[in-house]
Amino acid sequence: MTTRREILCLLGALPVLSLVGCGESGRDAAADCSPLILTDEHECALCGMTIVRFPGPKGQACRRDGRQLAFCSVSDMLSWAWQPESGPNIAALYVHNLSHTDWDEPSDEHWMDADKAWYVVGHDQQAAMGHSPAPFSSRDDAEAFAERHGGQLFEFDVLDRNVIQEYAPS
Ligand code: CU1
Ligand code: ZN
């Protein structure tokens, strides 16, 4: 069934489009920046792969135009967010909170604001695309994870490509 939303998306250049949130099903994204529930319909906005069949914490972005993007990994979300053209468009970034859910099958009941998380970089766990920073709301949990799996703790503000290159070279 083709919905009105999909038709608007197919039509392309209507001004109303920025409010419709093409590519995401069943919600008025402009009015609601709360995290999506990921299904096997969602493809990573950076690499295009199906998101939910792989382990590791995922990421989401809500753009100022209301569009919501999902990512196969925290790593791909950060790569997108660090592109110069992305920055001004970001209204919110979310990551799975590993203080409350697990690495292998992170639950969509446990998203948190990306900029409030502690990240472990350089641990030994594999995410969808290889290494991915592991986000925790609790610093203690991040430290416990790093004791078990290796890696160093970083806050969002100091995380960048150089940190990833240094602590988790690909
Ligand atoms: Cu991927
Ligand atoms: Zn990806």
Side-chain angles (χ1 to χ4, degrees), residues 2 30 34-35 42 55 61 73 88 95-97 100 102 104-105 117 122 126 143 151 154:
T2 306
S34 60
H42 287 103
S73 54
V95 292
H96 276 130
N97 179 1
H100 294 300
D102 65 350
D104 289 332
E105 271 185 76
Q126 290 294 307
E143 278 170 357
F154 297 91

Side-chain angles (χ1 to χ4, degrees), residues 72-83:
C72 67
S73 54
V74 171
S75 158
D76 270 15
M77 185 204 75
L78 291 171
S79 296
W80 176 82
W82 290 337
Q83 291 170 8

Side-chain angles (χ1 to χ4, degrees), residues 117-140:
W118 287 92
Y119 293 86
V120 181
V121 178
H123 55 75
D124 63 6
Q125 299 294 288
Q126 290 294 307
M129 301 283 285
H131 185 273
S132 178
F136 295 84
S137 57
S138 146
R139 183 180 182 148
D140 287 350

Side-chain angles (χ1 to χ4, degrees), residues 5 93 95 111 157 161:
R5 176 191 300 265
L93 292 173
V95 292
W111 293 99
D157 291 345
R161 285 198 178 85

